[in-house]
Amino acid sequence: MENQLAKSTEERTFQYQDSLPSLPVPSLEESLKKYLESVKPFANEEEYKNTEAIVQKFQNGIGKKLQQKLLQRAKGKRNWLEEWWLNVAYLDVRIPSQLNVNFGGPASHIEHYWPPKEGTQLERGSISLWHNLNYWQLLRKEKLAVEKVGNIPLDMNQFRMLFSTCKIPGITRDSIINYFRTEREGHSPSHLAVLCRGRVFVFDVMHEGYLMTAPEIQRQLTYIQKKCHSEPDGPGVAALTTEERTRWAKAREYLISLNPENLTILEKIQSSLLVFCLDDDSPHATPEDYSQVSAKILHGDPTVRWGDKSYNLIAFSNGVFGSNGDHAPFDAMVLVKIFYYIDEKILENEGRWKGSEKVRDILVPEELVFTVDEKVLNDINQAKAQYFKQASDLQLVVYAFTSFGKKQTKKKQLHPDTFIQLALQLAYYRLHGRPGCCYETAMTRLFYHGRTETVRPCTVEAVNWCQSMQNPSTSRLEQQHMMLEAFAKHNKMMKDCSTGKGFDRHLLGLSLIAKEEGLPVPELFTDPLFSRSGGGGNFVLSTSLAGYLRVQGMVAPMVHNGYGFFYHIRDDRL
């Protein structure tokens, strides 16, 4: 009886999903006022007056009608944005997603028990996998703690998308398929896919009702690696996932038409818990410099990543780890959480396996062999060529700033995230001599299926401060006063955006209503200031805080001539 009581009082991971508030639609007047403020740094007086008139006209005219229709839509949906956002931000996008959309990051195990060391890939890999699989079981049993702000629960839906989830390419729009189920909901796939030297293997992680141990997993990985290292490389079908989306969709259709067995193989990869990537590279990595390993994670060997999987766990030959995943089904904090959990477990166990060494008699992994022909091999070579050409255009550095961290900024009563954002504005201003339109992620998980909202850190206040810092005749006291004004403005924006009072997603909703109604594109969205200030995904600075843990990650810049700036904040370093 006591046991039952304990069970029933324990919070379940997804138990609050039904009681979360719906995503609100902000007031039209408020959103337009905030939008006008945000374009000011990028306009001269005449341009600003012109935009002001366009906004006024929109507010009194078509905007009013579109707002009414948006409110109507919101009545019938708990999240009016969810489906739209998924399509517009991810599934309709045709550029190759592995390089442009996927996010990735290195594990911080190198900072304690797992420094780079040849010959450790499989042993460490099996321990890391074992912790990953325990996390999967926590999710299936709904024992993962509900995240909260104070006492208010946050939406946990994105955690359902971590395992057994894959994007499927379509001719005009991709789709997401999710095979994960909690224990209450029923059967969930329990096999892993392993990619090694252009070949694909799968094995079940459950044996006689129990999870395999790390030594058992290691035996499976050893079998795969020995086979791959003593036989010719496979065709590397995985490289097709790096292609432009419509091309990949057509190549996939052709692959299936060659042999229906190819579809069965694709479905096994799609439904696998995750893809474990045995990578032959040995990238350099130190606690102060993660540049090389991060580059390999973001654009390494395309034959050992399945670009459409929500979770590729990458094991390099020197025992360094990282992850790369499709951004469509979830935001980075899901990967941050699991990577932190694993890092803590490795620390706790001093980097070792402390369980049973006994290895049961388990079936060896099954190799999945695609039927390919000249056309497929040609498609693969073409995919690799465009991938490496695009990758060569990306410059990546990941350095630790070790002079101080959040302890120091908090001592001065300055918000550490805002501190970095304003430093970034100043850096851009000094480098380019002008304000840089900037996107920072705010999360909206206080609401049902909430994901993100845009904060625009390049405010009038931030620019005034940057100008004062460049002006030798401005006193330190004035500079400090202007800096504090910029801090206050940023903190308010972040609070507004997290509580459903942002304007970017609202404007997107209004433009999509117009599109659905077959109306001409309102002038608000064709005004040059709209895109110059970052609208329509044109932010020169694309930024995000990956949190206050030992986990970092990154994604390519939003625009070709832009910067991607992703950071995490610790007590003593940034």
Side-chain angles (χ1 to χ4, degrees), residues 105-122:
S108 48
H109 319 322
I110 66 160
E111 298 186 23
H112 43 84
Y113 291 105
W114 287 1
K117 186 184 173 190
E118 288 301 328
T120 59
Q121 183 185 29
L122 300 189

Side-chain angles (χ1 to χ4, degrees), residues 344-359:
E344 285 288 283
K345 292 294 175 192
I346 289 165
L347 260 173
E348 229 172 83
N349 294 287
E350 297 154 338
R352 300 201 304 274
W353 167 251
K354 293 187 173 177
S356 162
E357 292 297 335
K358 187 175 165 276
V359 175

Side-chain angles (χ1 to χ4, degrees), residues 3 13 99 135 178 205 209 432 483 531:
N3 264 350
T13 307
L99 256 184
Y135 195 87
N178 172 250
V205 298
H432 295 277
M483 182 189 82
S531 52

Side-chain angles (χ1 to χ4, degrees), residues 44-176:
N44 61 32
E45 212 170 315
E46 193 186 327
E47 288 169 327
Y48 183 73
K49 280 211 163 84
N50 182 47
T51 296
E52 211 172 19
I54 290 170
V55 166
Q56 203 51 54
K57 188 178 144 197
F58 180 82
Q59 189 176 324
N60 299 331
I62 187 67
K64 227 180 221 166
K65 287 187 187 125
L66 297 175
Q67 176 78 348
Q68 283 315 311
K69 290 205 183 294
L70 188 56
L71 289 166
Q72 263 319 106
R73 175 186 169 94
K75 270 186 193 158
K77 292 179 187 288
R78 289 186 63 195
N79 187 319
W80 57 266
L81 176 68
E82 182 179 18
E83 187 188 337
W84 271 346
W85 179 247
L86 197 56
N87 291 336
V88 172
Y90 300 111
L91 304 181
D92 291 340
V93 176
R94 297 291 89 195
I95 57 172
S97 52
Q98 192 167 327
L99 256 184
N100 297 292
V101 181
N102 281 29
F103 41 30
S108 48
H109 319 322
I110 66 160
E111 298 186 23
H112 43 84
Y113 291 105
W114 287 1
K117 186 184 173 190
E118 288 301 328
T120 59
Q121 183 185 29
L122 300 189
E123 186 191 352
R124 289 177 180 179
S126 58
I127 292 171
S128 171
L129 273 173
W130 189 79
H131 290 307
N132 270 282
L133 296 171
N134 275 295
Y135 195 87
W136 168 66
Q137 289 199 321
L138 286 176
L139 265 178
R140 287 213 67 215
K141 293 180 197 309
E142 291 195 65
K143 286 187 186 298
L144 197 67
V146 179
E147 291 182 14
K148 295 182 179 180
V149 170
N151 292 324
I152 305 167
L154 296 177
D155 184 275
M156 294 295 285
N157 182 60
Q158 293 180 46
F159 285 88
R160 303 180 65 95
M161 303 294 175
L162 177 59
F163 295 106
S164 301
T165 302
C166 198
K167 187 162 67 183
I168 314 292
I171 301 295
T172 56
R173 173 181 285 171
D174 297 346
S175 55
I176 289 172

Side-chain angles (χ1 to χ4, degrees), residues 297-456:
I297 286 162
L298 218 53
H299 52 78
D301 181 353
T303 66
V304 288
R305 316 266 188 279
W306 198 267
D308 293 343
K309 276 296 276 185
S310 58
Y311 189 9
N312 288 272
L313 178 61
I314 304 163
F316 292 104
S317 148
N318 56 351
V320 175
F321 292 83
S323 74
N324 181 306
D326 173 33
H327 199 333
F330 56 66
D331 299 311
M333 55 82 205
V334 174
L335 282 173
V336 168
K337 284 289 180 212
I338 187 169
F339 256 46
Y340 182 66
Y341 167 88
I342 290 156
D343 199 48
E344 285 288 283
K345 292 294 175 192
I346 289 165
L347 260 173
E348 229 172 83
N349 294 287
E350 297 154 338
R352 300 201 304 274
W353 167 251
K354 293 187 173 177
S356 162
E357 292 297 335
K358 187 175 165 276
V359 175
R360 294 169 290 176
D361 188 24
I362 292 169
L363 281 175
V364 296
E366 173 197 359
E367 182 169 10
L368 305 178
V369 184
F370 282 102
T371 302
V372 297
D373 64 3
E374 278 307 308
K375 183 188 171 345
V376 175
L377 295 174
N378 203 26
D379 286 347
I380 291 169
N381 286 331
Q382 209 175 332
K384 284 190 203 169
Q386 68 79 26
Y387 174 75
F388 287 124
K389 184 173 185 279
Q390 269 212 323
S392 68
D393 195 31
L394 192 65
Q395 184 188 2
L396 186 83
V397 287
V398 188
Y399 297 141
F401 173 84
T402 54
S403 308
F404 58 84
K406 109 172 160 238
K407 261 192 196 144
Q408 204 58 31
T409 60
K410 286 207 146 173
K411 219 182 249 173
K412 305 276 181 201
Q413 294 179 317
L414 299 173
H415 193 295
D417 178 59
T418 312
F419 180 89
I420 289 190
Q421 284 292 338
L422 288 173
L424 183 60
Q425 283 299 317
L426 182 58
Y428 188 91
Y429 195 88
R430 281 181 174 166
L431 198 58
H432 295 277
R434 61 176 186 270
C437 60
C438 183
Y439 167 103
E440 184 188 6
T441 314
M443 67 144 201
T444 53
R445 287 173 60 209
L446 285 165
F447 304 101
Y448 178 78
H449 287 194
R451 286 190 64 169
T452 59
E453 175 58 274
T454 302
V455 175
R456 297 195 181 196

Side-chain angles (χ1 to χ4, degrees), residues 184-199:
R184 288 163 172 256
E185 292 163 347
H187 172 75
S188 204
S190 57
H191 63 283
L192 279 182
V194 180
L195 299 184
C196 181
R197 296 200 171 178
R199 295 165 75 173

Side-chain angles (χ1 to χ4, degrees), residues 198 200 235-238 248 255 258-259 261-267 269 306 367-373 376:
V200 187
V237 172
W248 163 217
L255 200 56
L258 266 185
N259 185 345
E261 189 54 35
N262 284 344
L263 177 60
T264 309
I265 294 174
L266 287 166
E267 284 171 344
I269 297 168
W306 198 267
E367 182 169 10
L368 305 178
V369 184
F370 282 102
T371 302
V372 297
D373 64 3
V376 175

